[in-house]
Amino acid sequence: MRLSSLLASGAASKRAAWFASLWLTPFALTAQTTSAAGPATGVPIGADAVEQRAMGTADGVRVVASFEGLGARFVGPHGRVALRNPSDNSLAVGRRHLVQTVNSQLAVFSRAGTPLYGPLPTNSVFRGFGGPCEDILSGDAVVRYDQLADRWLLVLPIFRRALPYTAPHGPRRAPLPRPAERRDTVPRPAPPRPGPEPANGQYTMCYAVSATSNPLGAWYRYAFTRPLFPDYPRPAVWPDGYYVPTSTGDEVIEKHLCVAERPRMLRGEEARELCRIVPGVNFLNTADLDGRTLPPRGAPNLVLAAGGAQLQGVTDASELQLWRFSVNWTDTTRTSLVGPERIAVAPYRYLCGGQLTNCVPQPSTERRLDAQGDKLMARVVYRQFGSGGRIVAAHSVNTTSGAGGVRWYELQVAHNGAVTLAQQGTYAPDSATRWMPSAAMDRFGNIGMGYSFGSATHFPGQRFAARTPRDAPGTLGLREAVLVQGEAAQTTTLRWQDYTQTAVDPVDDCTIWYVGDYLKAGDSAYSTRIGAFRLPGCR
């Protein structure tokens, strides 16, 4: 049976028609570019005060796992992978398995890195379900591990409008499909349905929740419709729901904030999705809970965004914006979204002026890479301690060296719910560019973050830096670790990853996993490297 989103606004549907072709194949140009003379043009007054211009010197970042994920030369149990650009890298870590998605492909690994399943299209999870979740293969699939329930969550947006179903859905619970034979050649990506989209059609957000802790077993499948384009989903686990913000298009300053009914979805029961339209705002990130210690009962999910507005030419800001999203499943009319509150931070300028810009230089080519500098990157993480909550967020900013650095924040959440800035810093230890970060906090309060690294003399690769609570405020005091060195430039497109992701290991609640892109020598398409890091105190 078709389940519809409960929309709180009658705002007109927006379209991003040009995006439909963007996720199908690599491309070379965008309408928004920066000068080829350099990636980053200046910083606002006061930004330099929080720059960390020397690398941490303390030992403590231990690389405890490193292996190949989905990419150009990857071969799994079901053959080779059909890559799309950007990778939209996503990683989830469970007690026995890892699940990775890149754009529209999915694979399951053992914790030692052995491929166990895939690669297969992400909509394979919806085989037999019917409707656009099964019929249309879109990008931007994201996977999470729900450590509170030991379950897996897959979120799959559908970028084409479809007519209401003419028949009921197939079974809500179904096992992963078992292909009959291995694929030894790269399959062609499945195109969207041919023909024009129906004018009265709706977009769809597809959810799959594993029925057990085994991602190779059965999944509960859900489809929620909406009038707005569901780009760039960033799902977050919270006790009362799966919170998923999306962008309604790159040509409008408007975002969509939704929550799905987690308690019922974990049981495979009929569930609802409740949404709010948020106009005039940058990309939103919902707080994603790490660890098993719960926030105070009934605490709202905290939603963050960077300041500024690229489409209005505002690329400098000195604030973070905060909303409080409180859902009431008993009486949905009492659901509320309150904000924005404005949290003052050191001034910053979007790296290279924002997203879809020719930004990061590479050796031996004029092709520069996009930095997605207009937004806080996934994940914005929340961890509950006895003294209150902690939030860590990060984004990419211009630095005084004329390159790019990682601006990060730690916010504290008091028992009364007040959110204040605890510390901040911009990690920019040299003239190379560090960008597109993803942060995490372990159970000891250590903060770690992975990010892309590159320059005119270094092919783009992946690195990791961290701090302990004993380090000076605003600094990453542990020496930077290299996950993988890039071996070639990406020349086919400026799009680089779009995002990447950390994940905290549910077994020890302190090992931090991370995944990111690089190119191998002689390749024109990306590979991915999955790694795990332990910080002081983690055994």
Side-chain angles (χ1 to χ4, degrees):
M1 159 171 154
R2 189 182 180 106
L3 305 174
S4 297
S5 298
L6 303 175
L7 295 175
S9 169
S13 173
K14 300 290 194 296
R15 282 191 47 79
W18 60 271
F19 199 90
S21 62
L22 185 148
W23 47 261
L24 285 175
T25 56
F27 66 101
L29 298 174
T30 80
Q32 298 171 329
T33 60
T34 60
S35 168
T41 55
V43 298
I45 295 174
D48 59 336
V50 297
E51 279 194 9
Q52 177 183 345
R53 299 194 186 99
M55 190 176 298
T57 58
D59 293 329
V61 176
R62 292 180 292 140
V63 183
V64 296
S66 179
F67 53 85
E68 287 297 286
L70 292 168
R73 303 185 193 180
F74 180 86
V75 179
H78 301 114
R80 298 178 64 189
V81 62
L83 294 178
R84 292 174 173 177
N85 193 290
S87 66
D88 300 334
N89 237 322
S90 180
L91 178 72
V93 179
R95 296 181 177 276
R96 292 189 174 185
H97 303 88
L98 281 75
V99 178
Q100 183 191 13
T101 59
V102 291
N103 198 297
S104 61
Q105 300 290 306
L106 175 146
V108 179
F109 299 82
S110 73
R111 288 172 57 92
T114 303
L116 302 176
Y117 182 86
L120 287 173
T122 49
N123 62 347
S124 299
V125 178
F126 292 88
R127 186 171 298 178
F129 186 62
C133 295
E134 178 181 6
D135 296 341
I136 301 175
L137 180 61
S138 296
D140 269 10
V142 183
V143 63
R144 291 281 190 270
Y145 186 71
D146 182 343
Q147 75 280 5
L148 301 179
D150 286 321
R151 303 287 189 88
W152 303 84
L153 170 68
L154 176 69
V155 176
L156 178 63
I158 302 301
F159 293 152
R160 287 178 62 84
R161 290 184 294 197
L163 289 172
Y165 300 119
T166 57
H169 282 166
R172 179 170 290 136
R173 175 172 171 152
L176 284 179
R178 301 291 176 181
E181 59 185 28
R182 172 185 170 128
R183 297 183 312 217
D184 291 317
T185 59
V186 176
R188 292 179 61 84
R193 286 178 169 177
E197 298 178 45
N200 60 338
Q202 295 273 299
Y203 295 106
T204 305
M205 186 67 79
C206 312
Y207 293 78
V209 178
S210 66
T212 69
S213 62
N214 182 6
L216 300 174
W219 291 71
Y220 300 126
R221 291 92 56 89
Y222 295 85
F224 301 104
T225 59
R226 56 180 64 185
L228 300 178
F229 191 73
D231 189 20
Y232 219 78
R234 299 174 169 208
V237 174
W238 202 249
D240 59 10
Y242 294 125
Y243 287 78
V244 185
T246 55
S247 171
T248 61
D250 285 341
E251 78 287 2
V252 292
I253 307 176
E254 176 186 81
K255 300 298 176 280
H256 210 188
L257 187 56
C258 299
V259 55
E261 199 170 7
R262 173 181 176 270
R264 297 181 66 87
M265 295 168 79
L266 290 171
R267 299 190 295 266
E269 299 171 351
E270 184 170 335
R272 295 165 290 177
E273 185 188 60
L274 186 67
C275 295
R276 293 290 187 268
I277 295 170
V278 188
V281 65
N282 210 321
F283 283 77
L284 298 170
N285 271 275
T286 44
D288 191 24
L289 180 65
D290 277 344
R292 287 181 172 264
T293 303
L294 299 180
R297 184 177 180 85
N301 186 268
L302 301 175
V303 185
L304 285 179
Q310 182 179 348
L311 289 180
Q312 295 176 345
V314 181
T315 60
D316 288 7
S318 55
E319 67 178 17
L320 298 177
Q321 298 177 9
L322 170 72
W323 289 258
R324 301 169 188 269
F325 195 4
S326 298
V327 67
N328 187 319
W329 293 114
T330 303
D331 180 359
T332 58
T333 65
R334 299 179 65 183
T335 293
S336 65
L337 177 65
V338 179
E341 302 171 29
R342 303 186 186 277
I343 302 171
V345 300
Y348 56 84
R349 179 168 297 163
Y350 296 169
L351 179 55
C352 298
Q355 68 166 344
L356 303 180
T357 58
N358 293 311
C359 184
V360 182
Q362 304 179 89
S364 306
T365 180
E366 294 183 359
R367 171 77 281 156
R368 291 174 181 262
L369 301 177
D370 180 34
Q372 294 288 313
D374 63 324
K375 58 182 69 68
L376 297 178
M377 300 305 298
R379 299 176 298 133
V380 166
V381 296
Y382 180 100
R383 183 174 284 274
Q384 187 69 36
F385 294 96
S387 58
R390 291 288 187 272
I391 295 173
V392 181
H395 58 132
S396 308
V397 299
N398 283 6
T399 63
T400 54
S401 69
V406 173
R407 169 68 70 86
W408 60 274
Y409 311 93
E410 181 183 1
L411 308 177
Q412 56 190 10
V413 185
H415 290 296
N416 65 1
V419 180
T420 55
L421 178 68
Q423 61 174 323
Q424 61 185 320
T426 299
Y427 188 62
D430 51 41
S431 59
T433 295
R434 291 164 175 83
W435 82 104
M436 215 167 284
S438 184
M441 176 180 277
D442 71 14
R443 63 187 170 96
F444 302 105
N446 299 315
I447 295 173
M449 56 191 73
Y451 44 82
S452 294
F453 170 90
S455 69
T457 56
H458 292 84
F459 293 118
Q462 300 295 326
R463 299 194 177 192
F464 188 93
R467 63 171 278 111
T468 74
R470 298 182 299 275
D471 290 334
T475 65
L476 303 180
L478 303 184
R479 185 178 298 113
E480 185 177 70
V482 177
L483 174 60
V484 63
Q485 298 275 22
E487 300 173 357
Q490 177 177 280
T491 59
T492 57
T493 173
L494 62 77
R495 297 294 290 277
W496 177 259
Q497 293 185 157
D498 261 17
Y499 45 84
T500 182
Q501 194 173 308
T502 54
V504 176
D505 198 311
V507 173
D508 58 21
D509 199 23
C510 57
T511 300
I512 299 174
W513 292 79
Y514 173 72
V515 62
D517 288 7
Y518 76 106
L519 271 75
K520 295 181 179 180
D523 285 355
S524 59
Y526 59 83
S527 294
T528 67
R529 179 62 63 99
I530 297 170
F533 304 85
R534 288 185 183 145
L535 306 180
C538 186
R539 298 288 185 266

